[in-house]
């Protein structure tokens, strides 16, 4: 491992902001009106909005480690308007239904900004939008098609830039164009989850940490320390869903890895630009995502080892040295002037991937069991929309509310088949990402404007 790299420790975000104080585990059998399994963004936002809407509700959150231990404390800090599955929802429910879903996601970015301001906590938030760059002829062709496609879903404020205009915003090597949307913000993931947890507890929600739920069934959340009984049990476990009894093949825990540099000097930032602090992505098949952090680093992520056999998840975010080096190569490829900059932190985490790559939110009215997730890496904002939707579904089912604009969105109640058994899913995922990387290499080598056929093959294997 490169000298001086802090590897694991959950994430850089915790190294920067410190670990939270520990809430007591469940002390025995208990009851509630709503029990929420998972103390990440989805679970905490759901508790927040439900308690705000119905203050007398007895709400209990059960978290296996501590709030924000999973993807909520390890992600790239992209609060943006992307949602997994929009194209499929357009095919299933019509284009206008998908447009409504996209508009709801656009509004969700501003909703999170509003709540952070109202609750008064520092989430390291800067609304600079999202800039996605193209660095080859094939990527530029995909970028232009992507830009026009987004316009068709109502993003009239999205802008398309050429090479010069892109360089005026951030100087990425070989960038030939970019697309920018204002519906995005940089956040510090741990400050966001800590502030949200504090707001939830201040409202009177009961939070039990170090309380792993082993099974969810109608009106029961089972843990080693006792069972919590409630009319509504909401599963908000995202990439850790496979650990629950009967859920091994529900959502695949896909691995994503990140690095963070040491703080850059003023001279280095002057050379890079990036004064707008947009979140930064690209149009590669094996894409990267990055942000300029509030303390002057670059945090950058991408796929390392994409999936562990048997749907296993890591414990502390430790990352293979080969992955750290690969991400460093991406960093230097984008910003050659940073060839001598030290990587200070590396970590990994898992995100939830349904078989059809569609995020969804559901409440089974016959059992009171609900769930939300399958965000495929777009969960920072999507979790908020999912939580408000779960709130409305619970209120509707309990007779405290009716149908709303959110409960009528096309992702509500979506059903999807399970993943293949092992070793098929391991072979499929490993082969898929190896093929995406090969497609990127071929496109850069050929400098042709057509996307590689390898990527189209990988898309079919993925079920996208």
């Amino acid at each position: 491992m490169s000298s001086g790299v802090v590897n694991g420790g959950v994430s850089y975000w915790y190294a920067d902001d410190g670990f939270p104080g520990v809430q007591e585990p469940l002390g025995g059998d208990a009851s509630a009106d709503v029990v929420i399994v998972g103390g990440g963004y989805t679970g905490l936002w759901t508790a927040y909005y439900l308690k705000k809407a119905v203050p007398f509700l007895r709400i209990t959150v059960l978290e296996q480690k501590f709030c924000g231990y999973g993807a909520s404390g390890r992600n790239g800090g992209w609060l943006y308007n992307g949602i997994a599955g929009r194209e499929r929802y357009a095919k299933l429910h019509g284009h206008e239904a998908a447009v409504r879903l996209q508009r709801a996601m656009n509004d969700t970015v501003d909703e999170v900004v509003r709540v952070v301001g109202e609750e008064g906590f520092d989430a390291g938030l800067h609304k600079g939008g999202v800039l996605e760059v193209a660095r080859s002829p094939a990527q530029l062709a995909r970028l232009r098609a992507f830009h026009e496609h987004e316009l068709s879903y109502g993003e009239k404020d999205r802008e398309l830039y050429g090479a010069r205009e892109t360089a005026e915003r951030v100087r990425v090597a070989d960038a030939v164009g970019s697309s920018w949307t204002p519906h995005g913000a940089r956040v510090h993931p741990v400050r966001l989850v800590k502030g949200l947890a504090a707001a939830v507890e201040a409202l009177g929600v009961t939070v039990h940490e170090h309380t792993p739920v082993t099974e969810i069934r109608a009106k029961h959340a089972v843990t080693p320390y006792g069972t919590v009984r409630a009319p509504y049990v909401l599963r908000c476990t995202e990439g850790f869903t496979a650990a629950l009894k009967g859920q091994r093949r529900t959502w695949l825990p896909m691995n994503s890895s990140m690095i963070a540099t040491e703080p850059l000097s003023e001279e280095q930032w002057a050379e890079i630009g990036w004064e707008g602090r947009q979140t930064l992505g690209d149009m590669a098949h094996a894409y990267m995502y990055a942000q300029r952090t509030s303390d002057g680093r670059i945090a950058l992520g991408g796929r390392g080892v994409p999936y562990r056999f048997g749907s296993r998840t890591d414990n502390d975010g430790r990352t293979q040295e080969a992955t750290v080096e690969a991400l460093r190569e991406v960093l230097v490829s984008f910003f050659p002037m940073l060839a001598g900059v030290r990587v200070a932190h590396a970590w990994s985490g898992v995100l939830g991937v349904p078989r059809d790559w569609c995020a969804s939110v559901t409440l089974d009215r016959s059992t009171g069991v609900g769930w939300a997730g399958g965000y495929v890496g777009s969960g920072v904002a999507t979790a908020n929309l999912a939580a408000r939707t779960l709130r409305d579904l619970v209120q509707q089912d309990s007779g405290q509310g009716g149908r709303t604009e959110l409960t009528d969105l096309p992702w509500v109640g979506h059903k999807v088949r399970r993943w293949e058994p092992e070793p098929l899913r391991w072979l499929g995922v490993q082969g898929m990402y190896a093929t995406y990387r090969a497609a990127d290499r071929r496109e850069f080598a050929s400098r042709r404007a057509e996307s590689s056929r390898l990527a189209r093959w990988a898309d079919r294997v993925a079920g996208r």
Side-chain angles (χ1 to χ4, degrees):
M1 180 60 62
S2 300
S3 176
V5 176
V6 178
N7 191 353
V10 184
S11 73
Y12 158 70
W13 310 115
Y14 279 111
D16 176 58
D17 204 65
F19 287 97
V22 177
Q23 299 295 325
E24 289 295 319
L26 182 67
D29 291 344
S31 63
D33 297 313
V34 180
V35 60
I36 296 170
V37 181
Y41 291 147
T42 305
L44 293 174
W45 278 124
T46 301
Y48 178 85
Y49 286 113
L50 268 172
K51 193 69 172 175
K52 280 277 197 178
V54 191
F56 62 77
L57 280 180
R58 295 175 303 139
I59 302 173
T60 295
V61 175
L62 303 175
E63 164 56 40
Q64 69 162 337
K65 296 283 190 178
F66 53 81
C67 289
Y69 173 78
S72 299
R74 309 190 199 191
N75 64 82
W78 275 44
L79 175 71
Y80 85 119
N81 67 339
I83 185 166
R86 186 188 64 186
E87 305 309 312
R88 192 175 298 270
Y89 290 128
K91 291 177 181 177
L92 291 173
H93 303 278
H95 183 74
E96 182 52 39
V99 169
R100 288 190 288 108
L101 181 59
Q102 185 60 67
R103 286 174 181 159
M105 280 303 308
N106 296 349
D107 294 341
T108 293
V109 175
D110 291 327
E111 169 65 9
V112 174
V113 174
R114 180 192 70 78
V115 174
V116 168
E118 186 176 279
E119 295 294 338
F121 60 86
D122 175 16
L125 197 152
H126 180 87
K127 191 181 178 188
V130 181
L131 187 73
E132 292 171 278
V133 301
R135 302 177 64 221
S136 72
Q139 287 189 21
L140 183 61
R142 284 198 297 276
L143 176 84
R144 289 169 173 162
F146 164 76
H147 180 85
E148 292 302 317
H149 201 56
E150 295 306 296
L151 295 181
S152 75
Y153 282 93
E155 272 207 73
K156 303 305 182 187
D157 41 8
R158 178 174 284 272
E159 298 177 4
L160 183 66
Y161 304 137
R164 179 183 58 80
E165 294 167 304
T166 301
E168 289 171 355
R169 286 154 179 84
V170 57
R171 284 181 279 283
V172 171
D174 302 319
V176 290
S178 61
S179 179
W180 176 82
T181 176
H183 302 295
R186 175 206 73 191
V187 297
H188 187 298
V190 163
R191 291 183 194 170
L192 177 58
V193 79
K194 281 185 178 180
L196 187 53
V200 163
E201 291 166 31
L203 289 171
V205 172
T206 300
V207 178
H208 292 297
E209 295 180 322
H210 294 280
T211 305
V213 172
T214 56
E215 182 182 3
I216 292 173
R217 57 179 187 265
K219 299 179 173 55
H220 295 75
V222 181
T223 86
Y225 306 114
T227 296
V228 181
R229 293 170 173 81
Y232 298 100
V233 183
L234 307 180
R235 189 188 81 217
C236 303
T237 48
E238 190 58 357
F240 291 88
T241 300
L244 292 165
K245 183 178 179 180
Q247 304 295 332
R248 176 74 66 182
R249 293 163 53 197
T250 299
W251 290 336
L252 185 140
M254 187 79 75
N255 197 57
S256 195
S257 301
M258 294 198 70
I259 58 172
T261 68
E262 62 187 347
L264 305 186
S265 67
E266 290 184 8
E267 291 76 17
Q268 287 168 323
W269 281 121
E271 194 171 357
I272 293 170
W274 211 347
E275 294 177 1
R277 292 165 173 76
Q278 308 91 336
T279 57
L280 178 68
D282 73 349
M283 298 305 293
H285 301 293
Y287 54 85
M288 60 78 74
Y289 51 95
Q291 66 151 283
R292 176 176 175 170
T293 68
S294 54
D295 63 344
R297 304 170 190 260
I298 294 177
L300 179 148
R303 293 288 181 269
V305 177
Y307 172 70
R308 291 180 174 86
F309 190 88
S311 293
R312 295 194 305 273
T313 57
D314 70 274
N315 290 319
D316 65 354
R318 189 165 179 82
T319 301
Q320 289 187 345
E321 182 171 0
T323 298
V324 179
E325 292 304 319
L327 290 175
R328 178 182 172 75
E329 288 176 7
V330 173
L331 172 72
V332 175
S333 173
F334 270 66
F335 304 110
M337 69 284 287
L338 300 183
V341 167
R342 185 175 66 90
V343 172
H345 297 263
W347 69 99
S348 295
V350 293
L351 48 101
V353 180
R355 189 61 184 88
D356 65 354
W357 301 69
C358 290
S360 62
V361 57
T362 297
L363 178 65
D364 185 338
R365 303 186 71 171
S366 66
T367 64
V369 174
W371 57 90
Y375 304 133
V376 196
S378 300
V380 180
T382 313
N384 177 277
L385 178 60
R388 287 182 284 130
T389 306
L390 279 174
R391 172 201 61 193
D392 289 0
L393 289 169
V394 169
Q395 287 195 271
Q396 180 184 5
D397 185 73
S398 62
Q400 296 169 332
R403 289 172 54 180
T404 68
E405 291 183 2
L406 299 186
T407 62
D408 285 342
L409 290 175
W411 71 328
V412 175
H414 179 68
K415 294 180 175 62
V416 61
R417 67 184 176 92
R418 292 155 65 83
W419 280 89
E420 291 81 1
E422 295 292 21
L424 294 177
R425 65 178 181 272
W426 185 87
L427 291 169
V429 175
Q430 298 294 333
M432 175 182 67
Y433 275 100
T435 304
Y436 281 140
R437 287 189 286 267
D440 286 328
R441 290 193 297 269
R442 182 171 294 184
E443 288 177 2
F444 271 104
S446 72
R447 309 306 294 178
R448 297 174 63 184
E450 295 83 16
S451 293
S452 170
R453 293 179 181 177
L454 289 174
R456 292 196 289 272
W457 177 86
D459 284 342
R460 287 196 292 271
V461 171
R464 287 174 164 170

